[in-house]
Amino acid sequence: MLYVTLLYMTLSPKEQIKNQVESAEGILILVGEKAERDATAAAWGMTHLLESLGKKTTLLENYSNGKDLDFLKKPKHVEKEIKGARDFVLSFNTKYNKIIDFRTEDKDGNFEIYITPEKEAIDPRDFSFIPAKFKYDLIFILGCSDLEKLGDVKNKNSDLFFEVPVVNIDNSSTNENFGQINLIDITAPSVSEITAELSKSLWEKYLGKDIAQCYLAGIVSATSNFQSPKTAPRTFLTASWLIEKGANQHEIIKHLLKTNSFPFMKLWGRVMARLNWDEDLKLAWSLVSIEDFVQSRSNPQDLALILEKIKDNFSRGKIFAVLYSEKLDQSIAFVRNGDSESLKSLQKNLGGEIKGGNLEIVFDKKNILEAEKELLGKLK
């Protein structure tokens, strides 16, 4: 037994994932509560792939930006919440008193089980209540640096993550390696690139057009169509292979990058109208209110691209930031500067998490003006 355990520990993460998938019957795929398009597209592609392997796969729709990917083929089994993850067994010892009949009734908010024993008396000690195993044998979590990013999914199903093996796939330098298997590559510009490379090395013959389209969409979104400084030669090689598999780059660009919607343009106008400039810090920043999202009919997912456009239009700037609130007791800042290394230096001083080339900082229990004051104070 010890030899088997030691042998398993010598396997690479990809080999361990292959073994786990082969033995699993039910697989659950999760992304974070506010997942970026990259992680969402990777999850869709992985779901399609596992289904093509004959696995019963469920994707939890734990994100708000799936509508941006409507041009992709959506997985068949998508749930809003985890339902029926585990059976519970009501066991009756029939050694001394057999059960000859039973029925169930659902009435007045109670589910009642009527049992007819062979003998009149029933000993309560003959009953036991047993939790059975979960219906999932394996969990994939994509693009989450820690389990807390799952939000209520983790809080409401905590036992699930202790009893079922977790495969953690991410490209964040702050990932906490919370999985039993961790496939973390901080040099990859996207989670989709990691999942595409995993799929190619293990299950290339099962990878069809729809899967390739999902992966390439995630890569294009995360790299701004390969314009990001993190784009590496291997990224182009992976993209080329996905195109060979049937992915259509032109269609992806048309839906994700080429044209800006009217709501996006309205939000951009509101952001630029409030743009501030600090000459000493070479800092350009703006504030976005809940009212701005409502009036422009846009959402916070648009702010990453807006921040990039601010950076492109202010050659004198060194640091760029957008602060917004989705609710009254929490504010969030997106901060960006010249390159990934200087962004890591900012992260050391400001905290937060680097996502898609931006530093995301959450200010709990602070309105947007309080968050602005704290951010400017730290920068100065």
Side-chain angles (χ1 to χ4, degrees):
M1 183 68 179
L2 179 60
Y3 171 75
V4 173
T5 303
L6 291 173
L7 179 64
Y8 187 77
M9 290 174 63
T10 63
L11 298 177
S12 70
K14 289 183 179 180
E15 291 171 323
Q16 293 179 45
I17 291 171
K18 183 175 184 291
N19 290 342
Q20 287 291 330
V21 169
E22 287 178 350
S23 61
E25 295 181 5
I27 300 175
L28 177 65
I29 297 186
L30 301 171
V31 293
E33 201 171 29
K34 294 183 179 179
E36 297 180 0
R37 285 187 302 204
D38 167 34
T40 302
W44 284 26
M46 181 62 72
T47 303
H48 287 311
L49 177 63
L50 293 173
E51 287 176 344
S52 70
L53 294 173
K55 302 298 178 180
K56 187 176 180 180
T57 309
T58 301
L59 172 66
L60 193 70
E61 200 171 37
N62 187 33
Y63 45 82
S64 59
N65 61 343
K67 59 180 174 55
D68 297 332
L69 303 173
D70 280 346
F71 67 98
L72 300 175
K73 182 180 178 181
K74 193 171 184 177
K76 295 178 183 176
H77 304 289
V78 180
E79 300 288 346
K80 296 288 186 183
E81 59 182 344
I82 297 177
K83 297 179 180 178
R86 187 176 206 171
D87 293 329
F88 291 87
V89 180
L90 183 61
S91 178
F92 183 75
N93 185 353
T94 58
K95 184 176 181 180
Y96 302 106
N97 195 359
K98 297 186 181 300
I99 301 298
I100 59 175
D101 195 15
F102 75 94
R103 74 181 192 278
T104 62
E105 290 185 10
D106 192 353
K107 61 180 183 180
D108 300 329
N110 293 314
F111 183 78
E112 298 178 348
I113 304 173
Y114 295 82
I115 298 173
T116 305
E118 186 177 54
K119 301 175 184 178
E120 291 184 5
I122 295 180
D123 190 338
R125 291 173 296 180
D126 288 335
F127 282 98
S128 58
F129 190 63
I130 307 169
K133 73 170 189 174
F134 287 97
K135 71 176 182 181
Y136 303 113
D137 306 300
L138 187 62
I139 301 172
F140 278 85
I141 300 178
L142 279 64
C144 279
S145 59
D146 58 73
L147 287 175
E148 299 304 319
K149 295 291 189 299
L150 296 174
D152 285 344
V153 173
K154 187 258 183 183
N155 298 331
K156 293 178 180 179
N157 304 275
S158 56
D159 288 350
L160 182 67
F161 300 99
F162 286 107
E163 299 187 33
V164 179
V166 171
V167 177
N168 169 25
I169 300 178
D170 194 19
N171 65 336
S172 172
S173 60
T174 60
N175 192 282
E176 295 182 354
N177 290 279
F178 55 82
Q180 281 68 47
I181 305 173
N182 299 289
L183 183 58
I184 312 299
D185 185 353
I186 62 174
T187 67
S190 66
V191 177
S192 294
E193 182 174 320
I194 300 172
T195 53
E197 291 176 348
L198 173 69
S199 302
K200 181 180 181 181
S201 63
L202 299 182
W203 306 292
E204 181 173 4
K205 68 178 182 179
Y206 295 96
L207 197 141
K209 175 182 175 181
D210 294 326
I211 302 168
Q213 187 79 337
C214 288
Y215 289 156
L216 187 59
I219 292 172
V220 167
S221 177
T223 62
S224 298
N225 197 24
F226 308 102
Q227 299 303 306
S228 166
K230 285 191 70 176
T231 306
R234 63 183 252 204
T235 307
F236 291 103
L237 291 174
T238 300
S240 176
W241 171 71
L242 291 170
I243 291 171
E244 288 178 9
K245 286 293 183 178
N248 187 329
Q249 183 182 2
H250 296 295
E251 182 185 6
I252 293 168
I253 293 172
K254 180 180 72 175
H255 284 92
L256 294 184
L257 298 175
K258 193 170 184 180
T259 58
N260 294 317
S261 66
F262 183 61
F264 174 89
M265 297 300 292
K266 288 183 69 176
L267 180 62
W268 188 10
R270 285 173 170 264
V271 171
M272 295 302 291
R274 296 199 198 95
L275 197 67
N276 299 284
W277 173 255
D278 186 301
E279 180 64 30
D280 294 332
L281 294 174
K282 296 294 188 289
L283 166 69
W285 81 98
S286 187
L287 306 183
V288 185
S289 66
I290 298 174
E291 183 69 14
D292 290 324
F293 293 124
V294 174
Q295 292 297 325
S296 62
R297 297 185 179 180
S298 59
N299 61 71
Q301 300 296 330
D302 294 320
L303 292 178
L305 183 55
I306 286 175
L307 188 59
E308 183 178 343
K309 287 184 175 295
I310 294 173
K311 176 180 177 292
D312 292 341
N313 284 279
F314 280 82
S315 58
R316 292 174 58 205
K318 292 184 178 180
I319 306 173
F320 310 88
V322 175
L323 294 92
Y324 73 96
S325 292
E326 283 187 291
K327 46 190 178 181
L328 295 176
D329 61 344
Q330 186 185 78
S331 299
I332 298 173
F334 286 156
V335 183
R336 191 183 184 106
N337 59 359
D339 56 72
S340 59
E341 289 304 315
S342 55
L343 192 61
K344 289 178 182 177
S345 298
L346 271 181
Q347 184 185 27
K348 290 179 181 178
N349 294 324
L350 304 178
E353 181 178 1
I354 297 175
K355 293 181 178 180
N358 296 320
L359 178 61
E360 181 179 320
I361 308 166
V362 178
F363 299 90
D364 282 319
K365 297 181 180 178
K366 284 185 171 62
N367 62 41
I368 194 167
L369 294 177
E370 293 169 333
E372 178 189 33
K373 182 178 180 181
E374 181 175 331
L375 177 66
L376 294 177
K378 288 183 176 180
L379 286 171
K380 290 178 179 177

